[in-house]
Amino acid sequence: MAVWDDLVGQDRVASQLTAAARDADAYVTAHARAGADAAAAHVAVDTTAESAVAAGSSMTHAWLFTGPPGSGRSTAARAFAAALQCVSPDRALGGAPGCGFCDGCHTALVGTHADVDVVRTEQLTIGVKETRELVRRAQLSPAGGRWQVIVLEDADRLTEGAGNVLLKAVEEPAPRTVWLLCAPSTEDVLPTIRSRCRHLGLRTPPGAAVADLLARRDGIDPALAAACAHATGGHIGRARRLATDERARARRTAVLRLPLRVDTVGGCLTAAQELIDAATEDAKQVAEELDARETDDLRAALGGTEGKRMPRGTAGAMKELEDRQKRRATRTQRDSLDLALTDLAGFYRDVLAHQIGAAPVHPVPDHGLSAAEGVARVAAGSRPEQTLRRMEAILACREALERNVAPLLAVEAMTLALRTG
């Protein structure tokens, strides 16, 4: 299969990236041919051929992929990275790079290619120290591949200082180095950086296309795949998790029952606490296995053995790991809470659609994911203007969490606002 097969509902983007990969392949091929000819003639490399290939090229050294969560922006970036490293012999016969089968494509997609660095963070931000190391790696020539590719999946999490460090590398890239930055929107990236990148905007994929992907690639029952795709509004990652994790479906069902439980102040406070507890438990579930494995690996690397004290001088490394794991747990909890708030906003969108006589935004047929009865009950007992105020309260809660307001206080304020409408 081609590297673009997992890029769901993004035909325009795939077409643009295919054209760029063709030009990139032609550039590297011309460079290699010029080098071979110069070596045979014992002269300096003639860059005329390279300039001719580069002129008017669809390829550039820095790209910015934006799109709503679940649109597949990181998938597009990784697919493009694989296409840039494609070594399929079909290219010489006119085939497009990105076959998906050759060594270059396969290793880039699975994350083992020496010249493709995929950078994602499990922390709340990416700091200056990490960015400097990334820039240093970007200055290296390709070890064996055709390009040195840096995929930064969380460019929106760069601190201002880290963004300024990255700017210099994007302004003056090393030869045959490509930066692929991913962010929710152009506003999440420094203007000085985005002005030096070629922008590709991705859209939310259609629910039917997401369901087809889940059934085809992950072997999910088609009916369940369709239900999960519609329930998540086309978010590929969330749809896959809903389809494969029964506990995730149970948590979503509990969230969608919350609007029916905020009829008293006590009910509001209880619901808020339960929402926080569920997010904390979700974060704990994600972190437990990973934390234990990281701790064991570091302990072994530092010479520690089971049941014995660690060697002297290693306490700092262990403390640094613990701090990093705590920051990751904080982000995971916030991500889980934000996901619950997104589901809650979807509930009230369906309420509003019901009140004005439109079809539900995300109809869910079965598999225990439907909240149709709750939607009808809330819609009958309130007015459209109240529903809009409740949606605004959810948005205000999400914004408060981004400003580091204590999660319980933010959620309690939201549930009280949901009660009053």
Side-chain angles (χ1 to χ4, degrees):
M1 67 176 184
V3 296
W4 317 110
D5 285 1
D6 287 346
L7 195 55
V8 180
Q10 312 291 347
D11 294 342
R12 178 186 58 84
V13 170
S15 177
Q16 289 179 271
L17 294 178
T18 299
R22 282 185 183 275
D23 287 347
D25 180 65
Y27 177 87
V28 175
T29 300
H31 180 277
R33 185 180 300 116
D37 292 345
H42 302 288
V43 297
V45 176
D46 181 5
T47 59
T48 304
E50 299 178 36
S51 300
V53 172
S57 172
S58 299
M59 181 61 184
T60 188
H61 69 283
W63 298 75
L64 176 60
F65 297 82
T66 65
S71 59
R73 53 182 184 260
S74 60
T75 300
R78 289 195 300 268
F80 187 38
L84 292 176
Q85 304 294 4
C86 183
V87 293
S88 168
D90 291 342
R91 294 174 298 116
L93 303 175
C99 65
F101 294 102
C102 70
D103 183 67
C105 288
H106 177 71
T107 54
L109 291 175
V110 301
T112 58
H113 198 292
D115 296 316
V116 177
D117 283 309
V118 179
V119 182
R120 62 178 67 87
T121 183
E122 294 169 330
Q123 315 300 325
L124 296 176
T125 59
I126 300 175
V128 171
K129 181 179 178 182
E130 301 96 313
T131 307
R132 282 179 177 157
E133 174 60 23
L134 192 60
V135 170
R136 184 196 66 78
R137 294 207 307 268
Q139 299 302 313
L140 302 176
S141 298
R146 301 172 71 76
W147 295 87
Q148 179 75 256
V149 185
I150 310 293
V151 181
L152 184 56
E153 291 191 354
D154 300 295
D156 55 307
R157 295 186 183 269
L158 289 165
T159 63
E160 184 176 355
N164 291 328
V165 171
L166 179 63
L167 174 62
K168 186 67 174 176
V170 173
E171 279 182 325
E172 301 175 4
R176 290 168 60 188
T177 292
V178 183
W179 289 90
L180 307 180
L181 312 181
C182 304
S185 72
T186 55
E187 301 303 317
D188 294 308
V189 181
L190 287 178
T192 48
I193 292 179
R194 67 173 182 255
S195 66
R196 290 162 174 80
C197 298
R198 183 167 299 168
H199 176 228
L200 286 178
L202 284 75
R203 65 188 182 99
T204 299
V210 175
D212 178 70
L213 175 69
L214 294 178
R216 170 172 49 84
R217 188 181 62 185
D218 300 313
I220 306 299
D221 175 72
L224 176 59
C228 293
H230 284 291
T232 57
H235 189 301
I236 301 172
R238 288 174 53 200
R240 181 181 294 111
R241 187 177 183 193
L242 269 185
T244 57
D245 188 347
E246 188 174 345
R247 287 175 294 186
R249 295 197 292 272
R251 280 192 290 269
R252 181 178 183 277
T253 299
V255 169
L256 297 183
R257 288 174 181 160
L258 185 145
L260 306 177
R261 302 174 54 205
V262 292
D263 50 351
T264 65
V265 172
C268 292
L269 300 181
T270 300
Q273 184 63 63
E274 290 179 357
L275 198 59
I276 296 296
D277 290 344
T280 303
E281 182 62 28
D282 193 28
K284 181 179 178 182
Q285 175 188 331
V286 171
E288 262 183 356
E289 183 178 346
L290 183 57
D291 287 356
R293 185 170 66 250
E294 286 180 343
T295 301
D296 291 342
D297 290 347
L298 181 59
R299 184 182 294 273
L302 295 176
T305 56
E306 187 70 26
K308 294 185 179 180
R309 295 183 61 182
M310 293 292 295
R312 298 185 62 178
T314 61
M318 297 297 296
K319 180 65 167 59
E320 182 180 353
L321 176 62
E322 291 174 3
D323 292 341
R324 189 165 66 247
Q325 290 173 342
K326 288 179 181 178
R327 290 193 296 270
R328 181 173 63 205
T330 299
R331 174 183 170 178
T332 304
Q333 181 192 24
R334 291 188 183 181
D335 287 349
S336 178
L337 189 54
D338 189 70
L339 175 59
L341 295 177
T342 301
D343 287 333
L344 198 57
F347 176 93
Y348 283 108
R349 283 197 300 268
D350 286 352
V351 169
L352 183 62
H354 195 283
Q355 289 171 328
I356 63 177
V361 178
H362 300 311
V364 183
D366 51 13
H367 287 280
L369 297 175
S370 177
E373 292 183 9
V375 167
R377 178 176 164 185
V378 173
S382 61
R383 300 184 305 277
E385 54 268 31
Q386 290 178 296
T387 303
L388 288 172
R389 286 196 292 270
R390 285 164 174 159
M391 294 172 68
E392 289 172 355
I394 297 171
L395 177 60
C397 181
R398 297 180 68 184
E399 292 174 345
L401 292 172
E402 288 182 0
R403 296 194 303 269
N404 292 323
V405 173
L408 183 58
L409 292 178
V411 176
E412 285 179 345
M414 179 197 71
T415 54
L416 290 170
L418 294 180
R419 173 176 176 266
T420 58

